[in-house]
Amino acid sequence: MKKICSILLTLVLTLLTAVPAMAEIPSIRWQFKTYSTYECIHNETKIYKVSVHRSSEPEYGIVDRYGTECLEPVYSEIDFDKNAEIGLVKSSRNDPVTYHLVDKHGRFIGTAGYSFGSVMRDGDDKLFVLGKDGTYVIYGENGEKLLECQGIGSAFSENKLAVQNASGKWGYIDSKGKLVIPYILDVSGRFENGVGFPEFAGGDGSAPIINDKGEILHDAGAAIQDAVLEKMEAGYGIYKSGDHYGVIDSAGNGVLPFDYLDISVYPTDGSTE
């Protein structure tokens, strides 16, 4: 009898010590709600990205380890890197589309309901950009507000992102939000091999080509006219004007006129086609 009681006591203790661990194991069904998918997005706080299918497109939310919904699954996108401090969520339920920042507990950060939202990535680093009514707010990876600006570049290039101040001047920040090129330029640009090609010409027709210190090397305004920078390859800027493409070099010289429906640059021998 003593041996049986000892076995039963050991079994009970084993079950009791297993309960906390079992509570952390997610189930596809929490609190009488069934989710289509679930994914742990933070190992420390044990929050999970879940989805439901109410229509043809899935909607996403966030639940904690106990199944409590931190964010109701009504969002069309949740951009949350594994074990990150914050993430970006997008809601397409209403018109217009809105964006929000959430922390690793699934709580909103700052003001909700921005009309623009993007994660700007620079290698392993990233910035979160939210915009509304012509003003953009840039947050760091830990949810800290870094700066406000009136314009933002399309992406990082060579560790720099273009930002515009209230006076209409452009400068550049790094992935930590530090201003590395002051607000001295009339147009934004993108970099390749230390040379910044202008994305378009300014109102006065100028289109400065700059170095990585923001110093103007050449003016490409005469070459690009009303064109917009499409891409950079092998030291050339490929621009599009209407339905046609042209090419300038890093000195601002027109290499190919805007007579082509498509252009590719091959870096092996520097030739263009």
Side-chain angles (χ1 to χ4, degrees):
M1 177 63 73
K2 288 183 179 180
K3 185 174 181 181
I4 293 173
C5 290
S6 177
I7 293 173
L8 289 173
L9 180 61
T10 301
L11 180 60
V12 169
L13 289 174
T14 301
L15 289 173
L16 287 174
T17 55
V19 167
M22 291 171 64
E24 295 181 1
I25 299 175
S27 169
I28 199 70
R29 185 175 175 83
W30 271 308
Q31 295 188 354
F32 307 105
K33 292 189 177 182
T34 301
Y35 301 106
S36 302
T37 62
Y38 65 91
E39 172 194 1
C40 181
I41 56 178
H42 206 285
N43 290 334
E44 176 192 345
T45 58
K46 294 292 190 297
I47 61 171
Y48 297 83
K49 174 182 174 181
V50 297
S51 70
V52 296
H53 281 78
R54 298 185 180 93
S55 60
S56 58
E57 297 296 328
E59 292 183 307
Y60 300 93
I62 294 177
V63 300
D64 64 17
R65 71 179 73 187
Y66 305 110
T68 303
E69 288 184 350
C70 308
L71 286 182
E72 185 183 357
V74 296
Y75 297 93
S76 52
E77 293 179 21
I78 295 181
D79 190 341
F80 207 116
D81 290 347
K82 182 76 171 182
N83 294 325
E85 295 297 307
I86 64 174
L88 181 70
V89 298
K90 174 183 177 182
S91 175
S92 301
R93 269 199 167 189
N94 301 314
D95 188 20
V97 172
T98 55
Y99 298 83
H100 320 262
L101 278 184
V102 294
D103 65 14
K104 63 183 180 182
H105 301 282
R107 301 174 300 207
F108 284 124
I109 297 174
T111 305
Y114 287 92
S115 57
F116 172 87
S118 180
V119 182
M120 300 289 189
R121 299 181 183 273
D122 182 32
D124 293 332
D125 296 326
K126 56 183 178 292
L127 295 175
F128 295 83
V129 182
L130 296 170
K132 185 177 182 180
D133 299 329
T135 298
Y136 297 89
V137 184
I138 300 177
Y139 288 86
E141 294 182 85
N142 294 316
E144 70 278 23
K145 183 178 176 180
L146 299 176
L147 62 89
E148 290 188 6
C149 58
Q150 275 57 55
I152 193 81
S154 57
F156 273 98
S157 60
E158 297 192 347
N159 310 117
K160 288 178 281 295
L161 177 68
V163 289
Q164 186 183 41
N165 67 10
S167 300
K169 294 291 186 179
W170 290 87
Y172 293 82
I173 60 174
D174 62 14
S175 59
K176 304 302 180 185
K178 179 183 176 182
L179 193 67
V180 292
I181 294 179
Y183 296 105
I184 56 175
L185 300 166
D186 291 324
V187 298
S188 62
R190 283 179 271 162
F191 284 85
E192 183 185 68
N193 298 324
V195 177
F197 284 85
E199 296 196 85
F200 46 84
D204 60 354
S206 64
I209 293 176
I210 62 174
N211 62 18
D212 56 10
K213 295 181 177 62
E215 299 168 336
I216 296 176
L217 304 176
H218 308 281
D219 191 332
I224 67 172
Q225 302 167 4
D226 296 322
V228 176
L229 179 64
E230 285 285 301
K231 56 183 176 179
M232 300 168 295
E233 291 185 16
Y236 295 93
I238 301 177
Y239 287 79
K240 185 176 182 180
S241 179
D243 294 327
H244 292 78
Y245 294 85
V247 176
I248 68 169
D249 61 19
S250 58
N253 300 312
V255 178
L256 288 177
F258 291 92
D259 295 333
Y260 299 88
L261 295 177
D262 190 24
I263 293 177
S264 297
V265 178
Y266 296 89
T268 53
D269 58 4
S271 62
T272 59
E273 182 179 283

